[in-house]
Amino acid sequence: MARRNTTTTTYEPVHVIEPFYTGGDAAISQDGKLLATCLAEDVILTDPGNGRRLARVEGDGEALTTLCLTSSATHLITCSRSLYMRIYELELDAEKTIVTATVSRSLKPHTSPVITVASDKTGTLLASGAADGTIKVWDIRGGFASHTFHGHSGVVSALHFFTLDGNTSSYRLASGSEDGRIRVWNLQTRKVAASLDSHVSVIRGLDYDPVSNLLLSASRDRTVMLWHGSSWKLKSTIPILETVETAGFLTTDLAYTGGETGQLRLWNLRTAQEATHEHGEEESEIVQALCHAQMPYVVTIHADQTLLFHSTSALQNDGQSDIAMPVTRRLSGTHDEIIDMVPIGGMLHPSVVLATNTEDVKVISLEMETTPERENFFGADVGVLKGHEDIVICLDVDWSGHWVVTGAKDNTARLWKVDPAHGFYDCYATFTGHAESLSAVALPRSIPQKESRGATEPLQNPPAFLITGSQDKTIKRWQIPTCDNHTQSPRATYTRKAHDKDINALDVNHSSALFASASQDRTVKIWSLEDGEAVGVLRGHKRGIWSAKFAPVDTPAITSETGQVNGARGLMLTGSGDKSVKIWSLVDYSCLRTFEGHTNSVLKVLWLPQRQSGLSETASLANKQESTCVASAAGDGLVKIWDAPSGELAATLDNHTDRVWALAISPKTSDVISGGGDGVLTFWSDTSSATAAVAAEENNMRVEQDQALQNHIRAGSYREAITLALALNHPGRLLSLFVAVTSKWPPEKDSLCGVKAVDEVLRSLDDSQILTLLTRIRDWNTNAKTAPVAQKILWTLLRVYRPKRLSSLAKLRGRGIDFQSETATLGSMKHAKEQAGIKDILVATRAYTERHYTRMEDLIDESYLIEYTLKEMDETGIGASLNGTPLPLPTANGVAS
């Protein structure tokens, strides 16, 4: 019979990688240390140096139209479709880990939505451009409009503050609109200084260089124009030959542009020629670029919500004709929907590969420290696997973590050679042959011999074979060419019609002798890898099976409910659309365990590593079976940890708002990684040992405090005993103490409750202790046996404290307790809920007090009846008999004897 697991399994989220940008405007501080991005109707403040989230500024419920940061990052300005503009004051804490955003102004600047905003270099002025063509200039600290400009006939699309020749009295504001017109406004005279009408499409960028006194304008008409700041005449026109979405000055002689090609391009303004001729990998369209003179990089924001950091170190060499701006960092604003993931890199360079509902596969760094060569941090994108023409929906990795296979809807699988240590990610081979989308792939799990070439040089020795499954209901085994025959096209060793419906999962056992296929036809088939023949079928699920995993080689046998030990040939773990998880024996293909608890389809299952219990070898062997756990992820957004030997639920992990598609084990920390449709990656650390240690320490402390309380009671140390009983929340001990005090006879002279020392203790309580004691008095007062004690202590409190002091206790209600917090203990929540407030306590106490007095009055009334009855009995002589005097006995003739 299976033994119950006596240990408590707990997991805590130690890291969370979550979306911070889903489209819209973005802004960065002048020093590049604070990044503000739109996340639906909220704003996320991030440190781009380490990717740490500093704050989440909640919006008004409507989508944001634009945002802006002042140059020194003291204020954040947001505008939304609700027509409101909010100005936040930002304050960074001493540790520079949290930003506090406080709303200083909330107003409606225009009668139509604000499309763009810009602040000046001093951070005191703000310009807002609306959809109705009006422009307003605001005093940020004062919150009032100082200028209003009318002149554009279309939506204002670009704004830029500048000063002519560095003279602060020559403040200008350049504005561009969708009609292609540019206006330069004189803030001193409040009039138009110039009208520039050479562009024929939307103005997307404006910038000014004080050294050359030139104004740069960029438009979707595929041109960049330079204008003299003195005469406002056109100096030159640079054909960009692409739709330009952003542009600006890098130096006096260099400008940058970004647009539909997805490349950051540099232009020599002296020759009007492009200075970058070698571009990097193909990227999606650039929608915005963030650049300041003090920043060592330019940030480009792409249509796929990716942020690329381009180093500007090469700009120091002005004589170069071909300037490269390498990408030193890549951030994904959102991972969209995480469909699958696998860990790579091993212990030294841990990373995780993500399939995110696109044709490209992302590689995310899990390293906690950055390196001088590549400025990567935990959660940063370190690579992209490009090659598929449609969405990638399945992944797998070999034992070494250097070979990754991907399967996509383009009916192909690709094998990738990955080396996170050197940033090398290359497609090694492409497998073509299936008639429909690939839905499952699997690589061998067997580890080569320790001294073999495959073990010492895994990058030069690809896996021997690949198994693929498709929606065409077939499975194929492919022979992978060696590095010596790399150019040879892969060929299928065999093809088998495997199932009647789509194949959802494949897995190879640890010895590479068997592999399993799971299908929507509600079965899992076990196949011989050598000849591709089915050797067993697992039947029992009521709906399609989404995931199947062989048990690792070190998994102990599991005792079935009938007492039979299974596991000699291995175990199989499956998760199904019938909301259940099952463990199967590969000896007779019977079901050993069924785990039920999910409320939606189980989409992924995983065997967890054996826990390091820290016990002796004998104890570890004895408890090894108890430490066997499995994990399951489901469409209900939950990850559940199950104890395999007992079949019980060990823990439920909740940090996702959408279905959880993927589960993996971190190669370095052995944390459980979950990824879901909400684009969130959560890293769960097993804290069972720490939780057990804390529980043991708390138990020991409780025993010591209980003993100390008993010692104080025996010694008559009332002050220490009452204070400790209140602190420990021991109402029973406290009641016993007060019963002994109030029942003391005779009571001490001039004492309120019976003992003067207790009077002094009650007189010196703080507010929280008074409220706690009143709560106990309320409870004791509900019982007729303990009501006299409660009334005595309550009377004492009312004598020693003024009503004003007691009424001030109302502000203590719910102080310091977050009932929704996961860290709040059951005892603290129960104790806090009991402290409902002084008003509620007194109302409840009054109700029972009136009931007690009513009961006593009824007893007094009844006592009058008893007194009357006894008096009548005495008058009739019955009372005398009751007092011991015998009554005369009657005789046969009626005469008393």
Side-chain angles (χ1 to χ4, degrees):
M1 185 175 178
R3 293 184 297 173
R4 177 184 291 271
N5 192 353
T6 57
T7 61
T8 301
T9 303
T10 58
Y11 280 79
E12 295 294 335
V14 290
H15 300 288
V16 178
I17 300 175
E18 51 191 335
F20 66 90
Y21 175 68
T22 54
D25 281 354
I28 196 168
S29 61
Q30 203 163 9
D31 57 5
K33 294 183 179 180
L34 183 63
L35 176 68
T37 53
C38 295
L39 183 67
E41 66 271 12
D42 300 336
V43 177
I44 304 299
L45 300 179
T46 309
D47 183 350
N50 53 27
R52 182 183 295 117
R53 175 177 289 191
L54 302 178
R56 179 169 186 151
V57 183
E58 295 186 0
D60 56 10
E62 294 287 340
L64 294 176
T65 56
T66 185
L67 61 83
C68 176
L69 271 177
T70 57
S71 57
S72 57
T74 58
H75 290 82
L76 167 70
I77 299 92
T78 64
C79 301
S80 70
R81 290 182 181 175
S82 65
L83 305 184
Y84 274 96
M85 178 172 72
R86 292 187 176 184
I87 302 176
Y88 297 87
E89 292 183 0
L90 303 181
E91 184 179 355
L92 186 64
D93 66 346
E95 299 180 355
K96 296 183 178 181
T97 57
I98 299 176
V99 172
T100 303
T102 306
V103 179
S104 62
R105 292 287 186 277
S106 181
L107 46 89
K108 281 190 176 183
H110 298 268
T111 57
S112 61
V114 177
I115 303 303
T116 181
V117 290
S119 67
D120 69 335
K121 292 184 178 180
T122 64
T124 58
L125 294 181
L126 174 73
S128 61
D132 59 5
T134 61
I135 300 170
K136 291 186 179 182
V137 179
W138 304 82
D139 184 289
I140 293 179
R141 290 178 173 82
F144 59 87
S146 59
H147 300 73
T148 301
F149 299 122
H150 301 274
H152 289 289
S153 60
V155 176
V156 179
S157 57
L159 293 169
H160 182 69
F161 282 101
F162 64 96
T163 56
L164 288 176
D165 301 326
N167 187 357
T168 55
S169 62
S170 302
Y171 240 59
R172 300 290 185 269
L173 172 64
S175 62
S177 65
E178 285 192 349
D179 57 9
R181 297 179 179 180
I182 301 172
R183 298 289 183 268
V184 180
W185 307 90
N186 188 324
L187 298 185
Q188 189 173 5
T189 63
R190 301 172 183 267
K191 295 181 180 180
V192 177
S195 297
L196 315 177
D197 301 335
S198 296
H199 285 291
V200 296
S201 187
V202 181
I203 306 299
R204 291 298 299 154
L206 293 170
D207 199 6
Y208 176 78
D209 179 51
V211 176
S212 60
N213 194 22
L214 292 176
L215 177 68
L216 179 148
S217 62
S219 171
R220 287 180 179 170
D221 60 8
R222 299 170 175 254
T223 63
V224 168
M225 295 185 181
L226 299 175
W227 309 83
H228 286 288
S230 55
S231 61
W232 297 116
K233 291 184 179 181
L234 181 62
K235 178 180 183 291
S236 63
T237 300
I238 303 175
I240 307 301
L241 303 180
E242 70 166 328
T243 301
V244 181
E245 293 293 334
T246 183
F249 285 102
L250 278 177
T251 65
T252 300
D253 298 325
L254 279 178
Y256 67 87
T257 62
E260 60 182 349
T261 62
Q263 301 296 332
L264 183 66
R265 304 167 67 184
L266 302 185
W267 300 86
N268 190 323
L269 300 181
R270 294 178 181 177
T271 62
Q273 299 294 323
E274 186 174 358
T276 50
H277 298 289
E278 292 185 4
H279 299 292
E281 297 179 352
E282 181 180 354
E283 303 288 348
S284 62
E285 175 187 6
I286 294 177
V287 296
Q288 189 180 1
L290 306 176
C291 178
H292 293 294
Q294 294 86 344
M295 289 167 42
Y297 48 76
V298 177
V299 183
T300 57
I301 302 175
H302 297 256
D304 61 355
Q305 291 87 46
T306 300
L307 282 69
L308 301 184
F309 292 71
H310 304 261
S311 174
T312 58
S313 58
L315 301 182
Q316 300 175 358
N317 302 323
D318 296 335
Q320 286 186 351
S321 59
D322 189 4
I323 302 176
M325 296 186 66
V327 177
T328 59
R329 193 181 310 158
R330 176 190 294 264
L331 295 178
S332 291
T334 176
H335 293 305
D336 194 15
E337 187 171 4
I338 300 174
I339 300 176
D340 202 358
M341 64 179 168
V342 292
I344 63 171
M347 297 284 291
L348 298 178
H349 303 281
S351 303
V352 62
V353 179
L354 302 180
T356 58
N357 206 26
T358 64
E359 62 272 14
D360 297 335
V361 178
K362 299 176 183 179
V363 183
I364 307 299
S365 172
L366 301 184
E367 296 189 59
M368 302 302 297
E369 298 180 357
T370 60
T371 60
E373 295 79 10
R374 293 182 64 84
E375 301 177 357
N376 298 325
F377 51 82
F378 188 91
D381 294 27
V382 295
V384 180
L385 310 184
K386 293 178 175 290
H388 283 289
E389 298 176 356
D390 208 337
I391 297 175
V392 176
I393 56 178
C394 54
L395 302 170
D396 199 18
V397 64
D398 76 331
W399 68 273
S400 67
H402 288 294
W403 296 91
V404 175
V405 61
T406 58
K409 287 187 176 182
D410 59 6
N411 303 351
T412 66
R414 288 177 178 263
L415 182 66
W416 307 82
K417 182 191 291 188
V418 297
D419 185 10
H422 301 90
F424 178 78
Y425 308 97
D426 182 48
C427 182
Y428 181 80
T430 302
F431 304 86
T432 305
H434 283 286
E436 294 188 32
S437 301
L438 268 75
S439 52
V441 290
L443 288 173
R445 296 283 188 270
S446 56
I447 302 176
Q449 295 182 359
K450 192 172 184 180
E451 302 298 331
S452 65
R453 187 168 172 233
T456 57
E457 300 178 358
L459 282 171
Q460 305 304 320
N461 293 272
F465 62 88
L466 166 67
I467 306 295
T468 60
S470 170
Q471 292 181 359
D472 62 11
K473 307 174 186 59
T474 65
I475 55 175
K476 291 179 180 286
R477 172 181 171 174
W478 304 83
Q479 195 69 27
I480 299 177
T482 62
C483 290
D484 298 334
N485 299 323
H486 185 196
T487 58
Q488 181 180 352
S489 299
R491 61 183 182 86
T493 305
Y494 54 75
T495 301
R496 297 289 183 268
K497 173 69 165 59
H499 292 274
D500 297 330
K501 293 184 179 180
D502 295 350
I503 298 172
N504 292 330
L506 291 171
D507 194 38
V508 181
N509 75 338
H510 59 83
S511 63
S512 295
L514 302 172
F515 72 93
S517 62
S519 170
Q520 283 295 112
D521 63 6
R522 299 177 293 179
T523 64
V524 175
K525 291 188 178 181
I526 310 299
W527 306 81
S528 170
L529 187 66
E530 185 65 26
D531 54 14
E533 297 298 328
V535 298
V537 181
L538 308 180
R539 292 187 175 90
H541 281 294
K542 299 178 181 179
R543 291 195 178 181
I545 300 171
W546 286 99
S547 182
K549 288 290 182 181
F550 282 101
V553 63
D554 58 346
T555 303
I558 293 179
T559 304
S560 66
E561 297 177 356
T562 60
Q564 182 180 1
V565 177
N566 291 273
R569 291 189 57 188
L571 303 169
M572 173 64 69
L573 178 67
T574 60
S576 167
D578 61 9
K579 311 172 189 178
S580 69
V581 179
K582 292 179 181 290
I583 295 180
W584 308 79
S585 169
L586 298 183
V587 176
D588 54 1
Y589 307 107
S590 62
C591 178
L592 302 178
R593 290 282 184 276
T594 298
F595 308 98
E596 295 180 340
H598 284 289
T599 58
N600 210 322
S601 300
V602 178
L603 304 175
K604 202 74 172 181
V605 292
L606 189 68
W607 292 89
L608 299 183
Q610 298 291 329
R611 295 181 187 170
Q612 301 297 325
S613 61
L615 302 174
S616 63
E617 183 177 359
T618 304
S620 296
L621 291 175
N623 294 278
K624 188 175 182 181
Q625 189 184 36
E626 290 190 1
S627 64
T628 303
C629 292
V630 298
S632 61
D636 54 12
L638 302 177
V639 177
K640 291 183 180 290
I641 309 298
W642 309 89
D643 181 65
S646 66
E648 296 180 351
L649 177 65
T652 298
L653 317 182
D654 184 6
N655 194 48
H656 293 274
T657 58
D658 203 342
R659 60 185 63 190
V660 182
W661 285 102
L663 285 177
I665 299 296
S666 174
K668 187 173 183 178
T669 61
S670 296
D671 293 341
V672 178
I673 312 174
S674 60
D678 53 3
V680 175
L681 276 177
T682 305
F683 295 76
W684 305 91
S685 178
D686 186 354
T687 58
S688 302
S689 300
T691 302
V694 170
E697 183 178 355
E698 290 180 351
N699 185 55
N700 293 335
M701 185 179 299
R702 189 181 302 109
V703 171
E704 293 174 359
Q705 291 174 339
D706 288 346
Q707 185 61 48
L709 178 60
Q710 294 179 10
N711 294 338
H712 290 318
I713 294 175
R714 290 193 183 97
S717 302
Y718 295 113
R719 177 182 298 274
E720 291 79 4
I722 293 175
T723 303
L724 188 57
L726 289 173
L728 295 179
N729 193 24
H730 283 181
R733 297 282 177 82
L734 191 62
L735 177 62
S736 300
L737 180 62
F738 283 133
V739 168
V741 170
T742 56
S743 59
K744 183 177 180 181
W745 189 262
E748 296 182 3
K749 186 178 180 181
D750 298 331
S751 172
L752 297 177
C753 65
V755 177
K756 288 186 177 181
V758 176
D759 293 346
E760 294 298 324
V761 174
L762 297 179
R763 188 176 287 110
S764 61
L765 297 178
D766 59 27
D767 289 350
S768 61
Q769 291 175 331
I770 295 174
L771 188 61
T772 302
L773 182 56
L774 287 174
T775 304
R776 298 303 165 216
I777 291 174
R778 177 201 64 187
D779 298 339
W780 299 335
N781 195 50
T782 60
N783 193 319
K785 294 182 179 180
T786 57
V789 178
Q791 292 292 325
K792 188 71 173 179
I793 303 301
L794 177 61
W795 179 76
T796 304
L797 291 178
L798 295 177
R799 291 290 301 273
V800 299
Y801 292 111
R802 296 177 179 270
K804 185 177 180 180
R805 172 74 181 280
L806 296 177
S807 63
S808 66
L809 300 179
K811 62 184 179 181
L812 294 180
R813 180 171 183 171
R815 175 184 291 181
I817 299 296
D818 182 7
F819 294 102
Q820 302 299 327
S821 173
E822 295 181 359
T823 59
T825 62
L826 181 61
S828 65
M829 289 191 295
K830 180 180 178 181
H831 183 55
K833 289 179 179 179
E834 290 173 347
Q835 292 186 354
I838 184 65
K839 180 180 179 180
D840 297 335
I841 292 174
L842 294 180
V843 168
T845 305
R846 175 185 175 182
Y848 277 93
T849 300
E850 292 177 349
R851 183 181 300 180
H852 293 318
Y853 275 101
T854 302
R855 179 174 55 83
M856 293 174 64
E857 290 175 355
D858 293 341
L859 289 176
I860 293 175
D861 292 342
E862 293 176 0
S863 67
Y864 294 148
L865 177 61
I866 296 176
E867 183 179 358
Y868 171 77
T869 304
L870 293 176
K871 182 179 179 181
E872 292 297 323
M873 291 173 64
D874 290 339
E875 292 179 353
T876 58
I878 299 176
S881 175
L882 295 177
N883 291 331
T885 304
L887 295 175
L889 298 176
T891 59
N893 55 7
V895 180
S897 60

